[in-house]
Amino acid sequence: MKVDADGFSFDFTDALDAFVFDEKDKTKPTYHGQPMKAVDIIAEFPDAYIFVEMKDFNDPAAYDTKDFSTEDELNAKRDCFKWLKNYLKYKYRDSYLFRHAEEKVDKPIHYICLLTFDNALNTAMRKALQNELPVGLASKRWKHEIVKSCQVVNVAKWNENFPKWPVRHASTGRA
Amino acid sequence: MLEKIKFEKFTAFEKLEVKFSPGINIFVGENGTGKTHILKAAYAACDIAKSKGGFAEKINNVFYPSGKQIGRLVKRSSTSSKGFVEISRKIDEKSINLRLSLSNHTARPENSRVSGSTKAWLEAPFEAAYIPVKDMMANAPGFRSLYEEREIHFEEIYVDIIRKAFLPALKGPTDGKRKKLLELLQDAMDGKVVAKNEEFFLRNRHGELEFTLLAEGLRKLGLLWVLIQNGTLLNGSALFWDEPETNLNPKLMKAIVGILLELQRIGVQIFLTTHDYVILKEFDLQSQADDKIFFHSLFRNGESGEIERSTTSNYLDIAPNAIDDTFGSIVDREIEKSMEGLGK
């Protein structure tokens, strides 16, 4: 099942359904149309859903808070990193709410962010997101999870870990 | 300036060629891919230009094979074999080579063969310093004389760096660029270095602290300070540094990388190995358009098992990147653990 979005082409070969979630085309049945943030793609499988959000960045260094030359630079980077983390967090939460209203949160949901960072920076982003989404049964009062797991990967790691869902850059064809 | 190095059946290498950047050369790769061997061989060639010693003997002293049998530096194989290491250097736009050829039966350095432009090589001396992984500054007292008088099992790089550290300060006033570098280091280590009776001390407003009581990371900064102050690191010098990150607080790495970039800008050619993400990223972040940085990745070919190299000037294009691959394996294990085979 092929889906193109935000400059990437996916093929979810074993999906029951896969579509652009933030669909802007009013003629399509998957038109989103609500003043809520939305992840790029949702795919459904027999025992799970995945929510996918992609970002192709020109300057990964802008988000790397481990490296800085001045305090101002560190603060600017922290702001960038925090902005991106919040962006990814609220996209998921709004998407979850939308799907809740659709009665489509009946299976565990995995959130996968495809970012063009190195693994080190993706690992830092995953840690921050995992704590804030939050992943799993975070509260003792919860009866079910908002999100089962959260992964942050680059294109190479995506293809290594999800061979049934190959992805490439749509315009260039590069993997 | 060193241009390239070639190995054939030498130590860990079956066949390898590395073209150097005239600026900074950063070697990454897993343990056992020969990063340190490249540094040691290149350093040996630099050192003899100044010391006027024999290349074979220097290589033997720097690598220190068992029993000092130089033939043991030939890559191991089941049959009799020959190997060489060849280094190319540019002097006034002209390239000259120095080659050491030997067989696994060569017992002593004098029985190996040194060829190439040996005369021209020795006629154009320049300074080179090799900073080993283990700090030697605190062990300096008496080490030099012990090394001269006794056969002790230490590679010569350890005594060489102590010899360089004890060189007296350059005559005349310190020029602006060197002064700036010294000040950067003084800020990072909160003091300056003084030597008394073969012992080093860090002097600051609290007094003098002997190096044995100083954190090892600060001793490294102290060593760099001394090498800049005494003129070992000047335009045209070469600096070899094996794993600068060892025992260094990550906060100090920003300063170290900034200083290495400045040294390169004044004309010091730099060679370093690292296993550290922060060091690598600091070079990526702090470098400017005119800086000449090569990232050399050493890796074993999956089929042949032999060591190969890929070189890039762009941090994100380092492939394979043994340092980031470590983070990559964490990503893999997280996915494996929490997604239970979905998408596989």
Side-chain angles (χ1 to χ4, degrees):
Chain A
M1 200 162 283
K2 293 187 176 170
V3 183
D4 282 7
D6 248 21
F8 292 94
S9 276
F10 293 85
D11 189 0
F12 297 99
T13 59
D14 59 341
L16 303 174
D17 191 14
F19 59 95
V20 174
F21 181 64
D22 61 347
E23 185 57 73
K24 292 172 182 68
D25 184 345
K26 289 185 181 174
T27 64
K28 295 200 171 164
T30 50
Y31 171 59
H32 187 279
Q34 295 307 312
M36 304 166 83
K37 296 181 191 303
V39 297
D40 292 315
I41 294 172
I42 288 181
E44 181 179 358
F45 302 90
D47 300 315
Y49 295 104
I50 61 167
F51 287 15
V52 183
E53 177 63 28
M54 294 89 74
K55 273 273 166 264
D56 193 350
F57 293 97
N58 292 322
D59 184 16
Y63 302 90
D64 194 342
T65 56
K66 280 188 199 162
D67 290 286
F68 55 90
S69 300
T70 63
E71 286 302 311
D72 286 347
E73 193 186 322
L74 174 63
N75 290 335
K77 280 166 180 284
R78 276 188 181 143
D79 286 347
C80 280
F81 187 88
K82 196 172 153 192
W83 175 87
L84 179 60
K85 179 203 67 195
N86 286 339
Y87 173 89
L88 295 169
K89 176 170 76 178
Y90 293 122
K91 275 215 163 196
Y92 181 85
R93 289 197 193 156
D94 267 13
S95 303
Y96 180 88
L97 271 180
F98 191 110
R99 295 290 281 172
H100 171 78
E102 280 190 289
E103 295 187 339
K104 293 279 191 187
V105 289
D106 51 314
K107 304 174 194 177
I109 307 168
H110 302 274
Y111 185 28
I112 314 175
C113 300
L114 181 64
L115 308 182
T116 50
F117 289 159
D118 60 26
N119 291 311
L121 193 45
N122 279 342
T123 306
M125 184 59 78
R126 179 190 178 276
K127 188 181 168 199
L129 264 181
Q130 171 165 303
N131 289 337
E132 293 190 26
L133 278 167
V135 165
L137 286 173
S139 166
K140 284 181 183 167
R141 293 159 58 186
W142 291 6
K143 297 291 180 246
H144 55 87
E145 299 155 334
I146 293 175
V147 57
K148 173 84 178 168
S149 85
C150 165
Q151 317 298 341
V152 183
V153 295
N154 54 33
V155 174
K157 273 286 156 229
W158 176 292
N159 284 322
E160 272 176 52
N161 282 286
F162 309 121
K164 286 184 180 166
W165 313 331
V167 62
R168 60 186 175 80
H169 287 270
S171 51
T172 60
R174 69 193 156 98
Chain B
M1 186 202 81
L2 298 186
E3 281 189 308
K4 67 177 177 194
I5 193 163
K6 268 166 86 171
F7 297 96
E8 205 167 300
K9 293 194 189 308
F10 189 86
T11 63
F13 310 112
E14 182 61 29
K15 204 169 187 176
L16 187 84
E17 179 174 324
V18 187
K19 287 191 175 120
F20 297 132
S21 161
I24 297 178
N25 295 275
I26 301 166
F27 293 88
V28 298
E30 292 178 7
N31 284 329
T33 50
K35 301 184 293 299
T36 302
H37 289 188
I38 294 175
L39 260 60
K40 281 183 167 177
Y43 166 72
C46 294
D47 183 78
I48 60 152
K50 180 88 192 257
S51 69
K52 315 294 181 204
F55 186 36
E57 193 176 357
K58 188 70 194 179
I59 285 273
N60 208 30
N61 290 343
V62 158
F63 280 89
Y64 214 117
S66 177
K68 285 252 185 130
Q69 292 176 62
I70 196 168
R72 292 182 66 82
L73 296 177
V74 174
K75 187 169 182 278
R76 303 295 151 82
S77 73
S78 51
T79 55
S80 178
S81 58
K82 291 179 176 172
F84 72 80
V85 50
E86 181 184 285
I87 292 138
S88 306
R89 175 183 167 202
K90 198 173 229 179
I91 305 174
D92 301 330
E93 299 306 308
K94 195 181 161 211
S95 291
I96 60 168
N97 296 334
L98 189 65
R99 178 189 280 220
L100 168 69
S101 310
L102 65 174
S103 93
N104 61 337
H105 298 302
T106 312
R108 290 193 297 271
E110 54 269 32
N111 298 333
S112 60
R113 185 163 167 266
V114 177
S115 55
S117 315
T118 44
K119 191 164 171 280
W121 195 281
L122 299 180
E123 280 171 355
F126 64 110
E127 289 287 352
Y130 187 109
I131 305 180
V133 177
K134 182 174 163 36
D135 161 71
M136 291 304 291
M137 295 285 275
N139 305 101
F143 188 80
R144 277 188 303 177
S145 44
L146 180 67
Y147 190 87
E148 307 300 347
E149 290 165 15
R150 306 276 173 173
E151 188 65 38
I152 55 171
H153 206 89
F154 268 87
E155 295 119 282
E156 201 166 38
I157 49 168
Y158 291 105
V159 70
D160 280 357
I161 195 63
I162 293 175
R163 285 179 187 137
K164 307 265 180 197
F166 278 117
L167 290 173
L170 273 189
K171 276 186 180 171
T174 310
D175 68 64
K177 284 179 181 168
R178 274 176 55 230
K179 205 170 167 191
K180 185 181 152 198
L181 282 168
L182 291 172
E183 283 168 3
L184 282 172
L185 276 163
Q186 282 160 216
D187 282 349
M189 61 186 184
D190 190 25
K192 48 174 83 171
V193 181
V194 289
K196 285 182 188 171
N197 302 325
E198 295 219 333
E199 238 185 303
F200 290 105
F201 296 83
L202 182 74
R203 176 189 286 167
N204 61 21
R205 61 191 180 284
H206 303 302
E208 288 177 355
L209 191 64
E210 48 273 54
F211 266 46
T212 43
L213 300 181
L214 203 60
E216 192 154 331
L218 289 176
R219 292 180 209 160
K220 287 191 163 189
L221 295 184
L223 175 58
L224 205 53
W225 189 93
V226 167
L227 295 175
I228 294 170
Q229 192 233 13
N230 69 18
T232 300
L233 300 178
L234 287 174
N235 181 12
S237 309
L239 171 65
F240 299 84
W241 198 346
D242 203 2
E243 299 179 16
E245 68 269 18
T246 310
N247 295 324
L248 206 61
N249 182 327
K251 278 183 186 164
L252 289 175
M253 288 178 191
K254 181 187 76 177
I256 286 281
V257 169
I259 287 157
L260 291 174
L261 283 165
E262 281 298 327
L263 281 171
Q264 171 240 191
R265 288 169 197 144
I266 63 170
V268 179
Q269 192 178 16
I270 295 171
F271 303 82
L272 56 93
T273 71
T274 187
H275 289 287
D276 188 79
Y277 173 73
V278 178
I279 290 259
L280 214 53
K281 269 315 275 271
E282 282 291 350
F283 276 107
D284 181 39
L285 293 174
Q286 291 191 47
S287 60
Q288 296 165 7
D290 291 341
D291 293 329
K292 298 177 185 74
I293 303 178
F294 277 2
F295 299 98
H296 305 282
S297 170
L298 297 168
F299 58 94
R300 285 191 186 272
N301 180 299
E303 284 176 16
S304 68
E306 300 300 344
I307 295 167
E308 295 181 4
R309 168 204 56 83
S310 75
T311 296
T312 174
S313 53
N314 184 354
Y315 165 78
L316 277 179
D317 292 338
I318 302 171
N321 182 341
I323 297 168
D324 195 52
D325 289 349
T326 308
F327 289 94
S329 96
I330 293 170
V331 172
D332 294 340
R333 281 152 57 204
E334 290 283 4
I335 292 173
E336 184 77 36
K337 187 179 163 192
S338 55
M339 291 191 64
E340 297 163 346
L342 205 57
K344 289 264 186 214

